[in-house]
Amino acid sequence: MSAVLAKEAAGASKPQASSSIAAVLLGTGVVGGAFLKLLNTPAASSIRLVGAANSRRQQTQAEQLADRSLREKLKSHGDVRNDAALLGALDANDATVKVIIDATASTALAQCHADWLARGYHVVTANKSLAGGDLPGWRALQAALANGGRYGDSATVGAGLPVISTLRRLRHCGDALLTLEGVFSGSLSYLFNQYDGSQPFSALLRRARELGYTEPDPRSDLSGEDVARKLLILARCAGFALRPDEVEVESLVPASLRGVDVETFLARLEELDEPLATRYAEAKARGGALRFLARLNQRGRARVGLVEVPANHPATRLYGTDNQFALSTTRYNTQPLVIQGPGAGPEVTAQALLGDVLALA
């Protein structure tokens, strides 16, 4: 702890002495709501929530923030969203650690991360738009980290599975990534774990949407763009300065359905069936299976898309919404290091956010 922080800690007022972390939560949707529930557990006792906001309203009053129905109340009550006021609430608190938690998917909000870090705040996020976006944004993020702020991004890939931390640790120890392959999408994992030709893909997709495994607009999953962002994040953590246009992305959405509105797309899901049924039948005839994989090799070539894999491929042994990351490195070269587990869900994603926040103390 620096001398300045030590002095602040020593001079903290008694009402706030037990809370070493002051936090503002941006986004009270599914993941943000799960995070709010975790704040009411003993594990989060060192965190003081000083502000919370959805896309339209915010709350900075202590009594309201402590209300267990905060998420619901923010839908109709609270001040008009004002990020300057939220940051002011952080500044007014004398906690030793001040963190902004971004539980949204907002690209505009992600563009603020580097500025917040440069201003001395820590940032913890589930938002992939900056770290998995354009290369200049990634570089701005790295430059901002030189100011001493810390960036908690465990929740951006694998819903908190320890893949980012493992990659960084290996690289720090002088190891180098040779290949990376895996299933990075919980929704696409579920779809192709279940798809066996006995029912149309469209029926399975509708069921996955009803279960909450896909985004409200399933094209967000089927396009492969979300998987591509995750692959970019991991590639950059491993030392590959890739641009988004250097990732080859295969979309499962036919060109005729990419520009229509959500309702029209959902009404025409059967147009997905024939192409996928044909590919499934061809793979089955050769004794293989279909899986939506992300791949990166040591030359920096990256691809995301549907792949025919042999029946004994590790990705054929996944269950439900499992993610899988197989890392081959200069030291893990005989057998890959495999990280596998639930890669989707608000509770595990919120836990990843909480873990990153607690690591700041």
Side-chain angles (χ1 to χ4, degrees):
M1 181 182 293
S2 69
V4 173
L5 290 180
K7 183 176 180 181
E8 289 178 353
S13 59
K14 289 184 178 180
Q16 295 180 355
S18 62
S19 297
S20 60
I21 303 171
V24 162
L25 174 65
L26 305 179
T28 57
V30 177
V31 173
F35 182 81
L36 286 172
K37 290 180 180 178
L38 290 180
L39 286 182
N40 292 313
T41 65
S45 61
S46 62
I47 302 171
R48 178 184 294 271
L49 188 66
V50 299
N54 58 27
S55 60
R56 295 180 299 117
R57 295 184 176 87
Q58 68 185 42
Q59 185 57 255
T60 56
Q61 298 299 316
E63 289 184 3
Q64 298 298 324
L65 291 169
D67 192 325
R68 289 177 181 260
S69 59
L70 170 64
R71 180 191 177 203
E72 292 302 316
K73 287 188 174 180
L74 267 177
K75 293 178 180 178
S76 56
H77 298 85
D79 299 326
V80 174
R81 174 72 179 265
N82 181 340
D83 287 1
L86 290 167
L87 296 183
L90 267 184
D91 294 336
N93 193 280
D94 59 2
T96 56
V97 173
K98 299 179 181 181
V99 57
I100 301 168
I101 304 163
D102 181 0
T104 77
S106 167
T107 299
L109 205 58
Q111 297 304 315
C112 299
H113 291 182
D115 178 61
W116 292 334
L117 289 164
R119 292 171 61 180
Y121 304 109
H122 302 293
V123 176
V124 166
T125 185
N127 190 334
K128 297 179 282 291
S129 299
L130 181 62
D134 292 336
L135 192 55
W138 166 262
R139 287 177 169 154
L141 172 60
Q142 303 313 302
L145 288 170
N147 292 305
R150 290 163 64 185
Y151 196 65
D153 55 3
S154 299
T156 60
V157 178
L161 290 173
V163 59
I164 289 179
S165 59
T166 298
L167 265 176
R168 287 179 174 145
R169 185 175 67 249
L170 293 175
R171 191 178 178 202
H172 182 70
C173 293
D175 205 349
L177 184 70
L178 301 179
T179 64
L180 169 63
E181 179 180 279
V183 175
F184 295 3
S185 165
S187 56
L188 292 171
S189 179
Y190 171 82
L191 287 168
F192 287 101
N193 290 340
Q194 297 292 318
Y195 187 49
D196 60 3
S198 64
Q199 60 180 313
F201 186 82
S202 58
L204 184 60
L205 180 58
R206 286 194 174 97
R207 174 167 170 75
R209 186 173 183 268
E210 291 169 359
L211 291 170
Y213 292 160
T214 74
E215 294 296 325
D217 183 347
R219 288 174 294 185
S220 299
D221 305 288
L222 299 174
S223 70
E225 294 297 335
D226 185 62
V227 175
R229 281 192 291 269
K230 295 174 183 177
L231 182 57
L232 273 176
I233 291 171
L234 295 179
R236 290 166 177 176
C237 287
F240 297 90
L242 296 183
R243 303 187 310 270
D245 62 3
E246 292 180 284
V247 181
E248 179 187 345
V249 181
E250 176 190 4
S251 174
L252 299 182
V253 183
S256 59
L257 295 180
R258 293 174 190 174
V260 302
D261 59 40
V262 179
E263 290 72 21
T264 301
F265 172 71
L266 294 174
R268 294 170 57 185
L269 285 184
E270 282 71 19
E271 293 179 33
L272 299 170
D273 292 339
E274 185 177 349
L276 286 170
T278 299
R279 292 182 70 173
Y280 175 81
E282 292 172 349
K284 184 179 180 181
R286 289 187 285 264
L290 296 178
R291 293 295 184 270
F292 199 90
L293 298 183
R295 286 173 163 171
L296 173 73
N297 68 20
Q298 64 192 101
R299 295 184 299 277
R301 184 184 176 193
R303 185 186 184 277
V304 165
L306 198 60
V307 177
E308 179 182 328
V309 298
N312 62 351
H313 189 279
T316 65
R317 298 192 289 272
L318 297 180
Y319 176 80
T321 60
D322 275 1
N323 276 195
Q324 183 182 80
F325 306 86
L327 291 71
S328 294
T329 72
T330 54
R331 294 169 189 161
Y332 288 95
N333 53 32
T334 303
Q335 292 284 351
L337 171 61
V338 177
I339 299 168
Q340 179 177 319
E347 290 79 15
V348 289
T349 305
Q351 179 169 276
L353 291 174
L354 178 61
D356 279 348
V357 173
L358 293 175
L360 298 171

